[in-house]
Amino acid sequence: MLSGAAPVSDQSVSASNTNALAQHDRKGRWVTGIGGGACLLLLVILPLVAGGYWTFTLGLCFANAIVIIAVSFLLRYGGEVTIGHGVFAAAGAYTVAMIEKYFGLSLLASLPVALVVGAVLGLVFAFPSRNLSGIYLAVATMALALALPELLLHFSAATGGYEGLYVKLDALPGVPKSLQRYYLPLLGLILVVALLAHFRRSRQAMALLLIRTSAHAAESFGVRRSWARLSCMALSGAIAAFGGALLSFSSSTVSPNSFTLWTSIFLLVGSVVSLYSLSMVGSIIGGLFLTLMPLLLAGAGDWVPILYGGALLAVVLGVNALPPKLRARLQGVRA
Amino acid sequence: MADFIALAWAGIVSGCLYAMGAVGIVLINKSSKVVNFAHGNLAGLAAFLVFGFTAGTFGQMTWAAAVILTLAIMVAVMAVCYLLIAPLVFQSDLTSTIATLGIGLVVQGITQLLFGSNVVSLDLPLPNWRATLGPIRVASYDLAVLGVTAISIGLLYLLIERTRIGIAFRAVSANPFASRVCGLNLRGVHLFSWVVAGLLGLVASLLIVPTTFLSSTSVSSFMLQAFAAAVVGGFNSLPGAVLGGIFIGILMNLLSFYIAAEFTNTYLLITILLVLNIFPQGVLAIRGGSRV
């Protein structure tokens, strides 16, 4: 709803019909503006009404939503599947925890570092497969996700091994901890969504979408595919690390257990359930799905993968079965 | 040196199994351009089905009966899996690849639901025989793996080179559009590759079980080895997948012996990244012939 003001970021939309979109935007801007404002207000005053449990869970949900946005960003702008984004989130989370451990600095100091770490990791990682089809990137991200626990456990002196590390320092002194854990991820999510909406209008985003629409046309304009791959991965890695950093702050702990291959696959499921949305509403739906499902199904452990997999298949097949017009509208409005 | 030869021999044996997994992944990718991330989970389910039929969860059959029954079930399972993602295959490779992850999750959940998450042991009905040839110790298991792999790959070769469906498969993987114009049934070819991949997965998972225990995740943890083998072979070439499997088998054995055993997945990650840089199209590259 907040995103009504943001242009549609469906990859099939080319530069030629932005005029029509702008008109559509102007019409809906008032309605969506008021609706979005009301929802945002609701989220802001929620901790004053709801109990500590819900405040905590929603804080995690917002942080998860940011990581989900990172996955969706890569899917939308890069057209690449990733099943290793847990690793980038882990990079951000461990950056925060280790900066606290070694330098005694709080989240606000380590967030920028986490962003840089995520971006560099994304670049380093995408470089070998920059010229190849997305299959290789997907396989390499899977290897990355599987390799991460091994590395974390081996360097246990720094990473805390199985038990992981704690994130205890307050980011904002004087504010109750539970509120910090709620408002900082919410603020982060709003920031990421707003920046991405702005990014959508930039030349970079146009170039990336042009490559997705037609690689040949893009290359004749001097936009290289390898450049697109690298910049998508760097941005996506940075967003994921940012989300991971906030996740570690909200949950106040990081451990290898929270960043397995399953985490990464579930992130992709969350992204699919939100229809690869880069908006507030979509990503929060994905985040809620990811955060609440395990809680609701706590008693039925073996059913969790079935329900996640079933939800993924249902969304993918369901969207595919819709008439093309409705499908475009659904993805467009939500985007 | 004796160590090295013994390790290489053991590597070849386990490499054969990775090769069979990789061939399944490459078969599906060649025909339908989908990367099947559910491959390991499906193979794991197959191994558990054999366990269930022989060890009493579902019945007390003989091995032959259990394997044949499981083969039949796997044909049905793979067909259902393909039909599930069939509406997506011609729409988007990306979406169908994501959908295979959903299938993998469901299959994993079903395995855990049916058989629990306990570790069980499944012994192959092999004679207890071993011999020593210089530095190499040969057990009946090793010979069984080599023999079964040779037979499976040989049958697959004959199937692809000599039968109508094999020719159709090659045509579809070379040019789907042209084969459709010529009246080939793409769905049939896709279904063929999924079923054959599932059967190879069953064989590979049964043979892999004696080296590890059987638990709901043990077989799918070998999926990365199979994917690495497919990457080494170029993801698009069946002989490449076989070579890649054996290469990965030997390499992993050497690395875990000479460096450290707990980094298997890290070695695989580094191998994948290095191979992508040095042989971007795989070691058996047909320049200009592969999809980028």
Side-chain angles (χ1 to χ4, degrees), chain B residues 57-242:
Chain B
T57 316
F58 297 141
Q60 298 270 9
M61 298 180 203
T62 58
W63 261 82
V67 169
I68 289 169
L69 187 59
T70 311
L71 280 175
I73 293 177
M74 278 313 284
V75 170
V77 167
M78 293 308 284
V80 168
C81 288
Y82 175 69
L83 292 179
L84 259 179
I85 70 155
L88 304 167
V89 169
F90 294 126
Q91 307 272 347
S92 152
D93 306 343
L94 193 74
T95 319
S96 12
T97 298
I98 293 176
T100 63
L101 276 166
I103 293 177
L105 284 172
V106 172
V107 170
Q108 180 71 35
I110 290 175
T111 311
Q112 285 174 14
L113 213 57
L114 286 179
F115 300 99
S117 40
N118 290 337
V119 175
V120 297
S121 67
L122 177 67
D123 291 321
L124 295 184
L126 289 174
N128 195 1
W129 171 88
R130 40 185 78 244
T132 315
L133 279 175
I136 304 175
R137 247 176 284 148
V138 186
S140 56
Y141 167 74
D142 301 333
L143 295 183
V145 169
L146 291 179
V148 170
T149 310
I151 292 171
S152 310
I153 302 289
L155 280 178
L156 183 67
Y157 177 80
L158 287 180
L159 196 61
I160 287 179
E161 290 295 318
R162 295 293 154 83
T163 61
R164 285 187 74 86
I165 184 84
I167 295 168
F169 170 80
R170 281 185 285 148
V172 169
S173 63
N175 190 336
F177 179 71
S179 10
R180 200 162 168 189
V181 170
C182 296
L184 279 176
N185 178 6
L186 293 195
R187 296 276 185 215
V189 173
H190 289 181
L191 204 55
F192 160 78
S193 66
W194 277 73
V195 166
V196 172
L199 299 184
L200 285 174
L202 164 67
V203 173
S205 67
L206 277 185
L207 289 174
I208 246 175
V209 165
T211 64
T212 154
F213 289 105
L214 181 60
S215 79
S216 55
T217 51
S218 64
V219 174
S220 50
S221 67
F222 286 101
M223 191 160 67
L224 187 59
Q225 271 90 332
F227 271 109
V231 168
V232 170
F235 235 101
N236 218 357
S237 137
L238 293 172
V242 176

Side-chain angles (χ1 to χ4, degrees), chain A residues 75 79-81 83 125 127-133 135-136 138-140 142-144 146-147 150-151 154 212 225 262 265-266 268-269 272 276 301-303 305-306 308-310 312-313 316-317 320 327, chain B residues 29 35 37 41 84-85 87-88 91 94-95 97-99 101-103 105-106 108-110 112-113 116-117 217 223-224 227-228 231 234-235 262-266 268-269 272-273 276-277 280-281 291-292:
Chain A
L75 266 155
E80 311 294 352
V81 190
I83 44 178
F125 180 69
F127 191 77
S129 59
R130 66 197 177 283
N131 288 322
L132 298 163
S133 83
I135 297 167
Y136 294 101
V139 172
M142 186 173 103
L144 187 64
L146 285 168
E150 294 177 350
L151 295 174
H154 183 256
R212 278 224 62 188
R225 232 166 22 160
W262 292 99
I265 293 180
F266 289 164
L268 183 66
V269 175
V272 170
Y276 319 134
D302 291 340
W303 283 96
I306 297 187
Y308 272 64
L312 190 152
L313 284 175
V316 167
L317 290 171
N320 187 61
R327 187 165 64 209
Chain B
N29 184 45
V35 183
F37 279 109
N41 308 99
L84 259 179
I85 70 155
L88 304 167
Q91 307 272 347
L94 193 74
T95 319
T97 298
I98 293 176
L101 276 166
I103 293 177
L105 284 172
V106 172
Q108 180 71 35
I110 290 175
Q112 285 174 14
L113 213 57
S117 40
T217 51
M223 191 160 67
L224 187 59
F227 271 109
V231 168
F235 235 101
E262 75 256 32
F263 289 127
T264 322
N265 291 331
T266 315
L268 287 168
L269 172 67
I272 289 175
L273 292 182
L276 285 182
N277 256 347
Q281 313 289 336
R291 277 197 310 266
V292 175

Side-chain angles (χ1 to χ4, degrees), chain A residues 176-192:
Chain A
K177 193 94 184 178
S178 61
L179 290 185
Q180 290 188 27
R181 286 186 189 150
Y182 178 87
Y183 282 119
L184 281 176
L186 178 61
L187 202 65
L189 180 61
I190 294 173
L191 200 69
V192 167

Side-chain angles (χ1 to χ4, degrees), chain A residues 22-178:
Chain A
Q23 274 177 358
H24 172 255
D25 266 3
R26 239 167 272 142
K27 243 192 295 173
R29 186 166 285 175
W30 276 105
V31 185
T32 48
I34 293 169
C39 284
L40 204 60
L41 196 68
L42 188 75
L43 285 180
V44 170
I45 58 170
L46 199 65
L48 307 176
V49 189
Y53 175 75
W54 281 104
T55 316
F56 177 74
T57 311
L58 281 173
L60 291 182
C61 155
F62 298 143
N64 272 327
I66 298 175
V67 188
I68 288 175
I69 285 186
V71 178
S72 307
F73 177 86
L74 196 63
L75 266 155
R76 271 188 185 269
Y77 284 95
E80 311 294 352
V81 190
T82 161
I83 44 178
H85 255 52
V87 174
F88 296 101
Y94 273 93
T95 305
V96 170
M98 281 161 76
I99 285 183
E100 177 174 326
K101 183 180 169 190
Y102 289 110
F103 303 103
L105 293 172
S106 76
L107 177 76
L108 291 185
S110 45
L111 259 185
V113 185
L115 272 173
V116 174
V117 168
V120 169
L121 196 62
L123 273 183
V124 167
F125 180 69
F127 191 77
S129 59
R130 66 197 177 283
N131 288 322
L132 298 163
S133 83
I135 297 167
Y136 294 101
L137 193 72
V139 172
T141 55
M142 186 173 103
L144 187 64
L146 285 168
L148 178 78
E150 294 177 350
L151 295 174
L152 287 179
L153 291 182
H154 183 256
F155 297 105
S156 56
T159 61
Y162 274 112
E163 288 175 19
L165 297 170
Y166 290 98
V167 180
K168 291 183 208 138
L169 285 180
D170 281 351
L172 309 165
V175 182
K177 193 94 184 178
S178 61

Side-chain angles (χ1 to χ4, degrees), chain B residues 13-38:
Chain B
V13 171
S14 45
C16 284
L17 302 172
Y18 305 154
M20 264 198 277
V23 165
I25 293 167
V26 170
L27 269 176
I28 291 178
N29 184 45
K30 263 175 94 89
S31 74
S32 51
K33 301 192 182 179
V34 176
V35 183
N36 182 16
F37 279 109

Side-chain angles (χ1 to χ4, degrees), chain B residues 19 229 232-233 238-248 283-284:
Chain B
V232 170
L238 293 172
V242 176
L243 279 185
I246 292 172
F247 171 76
I248 291 284
V283 283
L284 293 186

